Amino acid sequence: MALLIALAAGVAEMIAHLWEAENLSGEGPAILLRLGIYAVVAGLILAFARGHRWAAAVLIVGLGVVGMASLIAEPLTWLFTDGDMGSLLATADASIVLIILIRTVHIAAVIVAVPLMIRILAITRRAR
């Protein structure tokens, strides 16, 4: 379930970012790339749910390392370059608050999913 929540949060955040954009021209390749990544992740989740251990390993590295790095890179960059939380909160509109909430759910879902997948891999390895 945590994997599906992470996937849904990723899609929701993409939509939220696009929703606030005034002009979507030129965004086609980026949208297609993200949709492709989400489709691969969905396929890996399905493979993992069907018992394919390799899919869990790919998800752990893909979501737990690469995905998490992409989720926290932007906020950390902002924090270390500007970091004025008071100013951010004072000027935040509904779309910024929504994106922050979605990103928080996304990060939390990944933080829950990765250790659970590792545990499932350990349990299924002992069962063999």
Side-chain angles (χ1 to χ4, degrees), residues 4-56:
L4 294 175
I5 291 169
L7 179 61
V11 172
E13 186 176 348
M14 179 187 73
I15 292 168
H17 279 288
L18 292 173
W19 195 269
E20 68 179 9
E22 292 180 21
N23 185 0
L24 294 179
S25 66
E27 294 295 323
I31 293 169
L32 288 175
L33 176 63
R34 284 181 177 260
L35 290 175
I37 291 168
Y38 297 141
V40 169
V41 170
L44 288 167
I45 292 169
L46 183 60
F48 176 55
R50 291 184 174 170
H52 297 284
R53 294 170 47 89
W54 61 266

Side-chain angles (χ1 to χ4, degrees), residues 55-108:
V58 173
L59 285 166
I60 289 166
V61 172
L63 294 179
V65 178
V66 178
M68 185 61 82
S70 73
L71 288 173
I72 63 173
E74 180 185 4
L76 286 178
T77 300
W78 174 83
L79 184 64
F80 290 121
T81 57
D82 185 25
D84 185 2
M85 188 64 75
S87 175
L88 173 68
L89 295 176
T91 60
D93 60 4
S95 66
I96 300 246
V97 171
L98 178 63
I99 289 168
I100 290 170
L101 289 173
I102 293 169
R103 176 77 56 101
T104 302
V105 167
H106 195 164
I107 290 170

